[in-house]
Amino acid sequence: MGHPNSFDVVILGAGAAGMMCALSAAGRGRKVALIDQAAKAGGKILISGGGRCNFTNLGASPRQYVSQNAHFAKSALSRFSPADFIRMVAEHGIAYHERKHGELFCDASAQQIIDMLLEGCRRGAARLFLSHKISLVRKASAGYVVETDRGAFAAPALVVATGGLSIPKSGASGFGFTLASQFGLRLVERAPALDGFVFDDADRGRLNGFAGVALDAVMTCNGVSFRENLLFTHAGFSGPAALQASLHWYKGDAVHVNFLPSFSRAELLDWFAVRKASKARINTHLAQLVPKRLAERFCELYLPAGVPLGNLLKTDLSAFCARLQDWTFVPRQTVGYGKAEVTRGGVDTDELSSKTLEAKKSPGLFFIGEVVDVTGWLGGYNFQWAWASGWAAGQAV
């Protein structure tokens, strides 16, 4: 290997966090090398939000993030807020719109966000090196050396922005975690998150034939509840409610579903009570509130066979309503990294400075974005963490 190309900063990963870090550092006059094994920058940005990139959330705050240290994200998020990124978007003339829960999307294409970030890199002294396969990263006397199949790069500062394990087809790998371990940093156990749930055999048997059925529901896991659309799949549950809940799920945990969140328990009992005089079967009434197939199956599973609504004991009706509003299951697993939007866990935040994202054990080594144990809810929060952590490191290198 010949003499390395010298830079002030080498950034590994040309995704959301890496490009923001390059832009931030280059804007301060740093000579930056942004390296990625992919042929194009921003692969995950391009497929996000149905191709329109839900680039931030107006309500982003530390409470929407899961981490072993709930306070870690506060510093970066406070110094680069959604308003700061929105200002960048507006300055570049990118039209956007707000959807539910404060989510912001491009009107046209996610490519506009990538182009904006790359333009910011070009305006500074940042150079992009794509299709570079990294073979070795090592500590050197003056910093760090990154060896690739197309040459070596050296710099006093090395930023790892290689993302997590989710969506391998976008180029995701565990490289950043391996690198953290190489330099002696602890890792928090990783798991696919913002992902669908897979039923065990018993629940799949009870609720088979529902694929494609969707309804408004509340899903609760470990005390955290989300009211969103819930979708039955061939394997279990998907849709925003399930994806949100999966972030808080650990193997063996129970998940609770309220299929009728618009009613209190008393209101639901009253709703049935005023219909007791009707000769219609209870599933006919229930089909006014939930999809017909679900109404029929719940009645088959949880009510005495053949008993009309008017003849149901109050205790039986109460127990049935309880099932409808607190149906509990223990998932076998989530669908997995192939479809999970993010990786929960990663580099232990105790190993990093919350202000700069620099590794305490290895001066000049930084970890940002999804590779860190900071994982946001669905709805633009993970992009905001990428922007904020990338900006913070870019201001420090």
Side-chain angles (χ1 to χ4, degrees):
M1 188 69 68
H3 188 73
N5 297 302
S6 294
F7 291 84
D8 297 320
V9 189
V10 171
I11 301 170
L12 305 182
M19 285 191 286
M20 176 57 82
C21 185
L23 180 157
S24 174
R28 298 172 53 240
R30 299 295 189 264
K31 184 182 177 186
V32 179
L34 179 58
I35 302 171
D36 202 299
Q37 65 177 1
K40 293 183 178 180
K44 269 188 151 182
I45 296 176
L46 197 58
I47 62 174
S48 68
R52 291 192 175 182
C53 186
N54 50 330
F55 56 81
T56 192
N57 193 295
L58 293 172
S61 72
R63 78 178 190 88
Q64 289 94 18
Y65 294 85
V66 171
S67 172
Q68 287 199 343
N69 180 353
H71 302 288
F72 182 83
K74 287 181 178 179
S75 177
L77 289 171
S78 67
R79 286 182 293 126
F80 194 87
S81 69
D84 292 314
F85 195 78
I86 292 166
R87 191 175 302 113
M88 288 177 59
V89 168
E91 287 172 354
H92 282 77
I94 299 172
Y96 64 92
H97 59 278
E98 180 182 350
R99 297 187 191 173
K100 61 181 181 179
H101 308 307
E103 301 173 38
L104 299 187
F105 289 75
C106 297
D107 285 357
S109 168
Q111 185 63 48
Q112 294 175 295
I113 299 295
I114 298 171
D115 292 343
M116 175 189 77
L117 295 168
L118 291 176
E119 182 185 326
C121 291
R122 284 191 293 267
R123 279 204 309 264
R127 291 181 60 194
L128 184 61
F129 298 89
L130 297 173
S131 301
H132 279 57
K133 186 176 180 180
I134 299 167
S135 57
L136 180 68
V137 177
R138 59 183 172 85
K139 188 80 174 71
S141 58
Y144 299 85
V145 174
V146 177
E147 296 182 7
T148 79
D149 60 347
R150 299 174 66 177
F153 302 79
L158 175 66
V159 182
V160 181
T162 50
L165 296 161
S166 57
I167 315 182
K169 67 181 181 181
S170 70
S173 75
F175 180 78
F177 305 130
T178 302
L179 206 54
S181 295
Q182 176 187 325
F183 286 97
L185 277 66
R186 291 188 303 275
L187 296 172
V188 173
E189 184 178 359
R190 277 83 66 213
L194 302 186
D195 191 16
F197 287 118
V198 176
F199 288 147
D200 66 14
D201 290 340
D203 286 325
R204 188 178 294 190
R206 279 190 281 267
L207 297 179
N208 66 341
F210 286 177
V213 171
L215 73 166
D216 174 48
V218 170
M219 187 170 271
T220 302
C221 185
N222 284 314
V224 185
S225 298
F226 298 94
R227 182 172 180 173
E228 294 267 12
N229 192 55
L230 183 65
L231 174 69
F232 283 88
T233 68
H234 292 290
F237 284 127
S238 188
L243 270 60
Q244 296 281 36
S246 73
L247 178 56
H248 300 270
W249 182 78
Y250 295 81
K251 194 163 184 66
D253 290 342
V255 179
H256 303 263
V257 185
N258 182 349
F259 291 108
L260 290 168
S262 296
F263 291 82
S264 68
R265 185 65 49 79
E267 289 170 341
L268 185 57
L269 284 166
D270 287 345
W271 190 90
F272 281 117
V274 299
R275 288 160 176 78
K276 276 204 166 189
S278 168
K279 294 181 181 180
R281 295 168 57 203
I282 187 170
N283 60 283
T284 302
H285 293 295
L286 184 56
Q288 298 175 46
L289 304 178
V290 300
K292 182 180 178 182
R293 278 186 283 169
L294 186 62
E296 291 175 347
R297 186 65 55 82
F298 258 72
C299 291
E300 291 170 6
L301 290 171
Y302 301 120
L303 284 176
V307 178
L309 173 58
N311 295 347
L312 268 181
L313 295 174
K314 187 175 181 180
T315 52
D316 288 337
L317 183 59
S318 180
F320 183 63
C321 290
R323 289 277 192 178
L324 285 167
Q325 294 193 303
D326 188 15
W327 189 78
T328 304
F329 73 107
V330 177
R332 171 182 289 170
Q333 61 188 54
T334 61
V335 173
Y337 287 115
K339 292 190 176 179
E341 298 214 4
V342 291
T343 303
R344 186 184 65 210
V347 177
D348 192 327
T349 55
D350 286 347
E351 300 279 14
L352 307 174
S353 161
S354 62
K355 183 178 180 181
T356 65
L357 286 301
E358 185 175 19
K360 296 172 183 177
K361 293 175 182 174
S362 298
L365 179 62
F366 300 75
F367 289 84
I368 60 175
E370 190 182 349
V371 74
V372 180
D373 176 36
V374 174
T375 312
W377 291 358
L378 186 72
Y381 298 102
N382 287 294
F383 273 129
Q384 186 57 40
W385 170 244
W387 313 139
S389 60
W391 180 264
Q395 294 297 296
V397 292

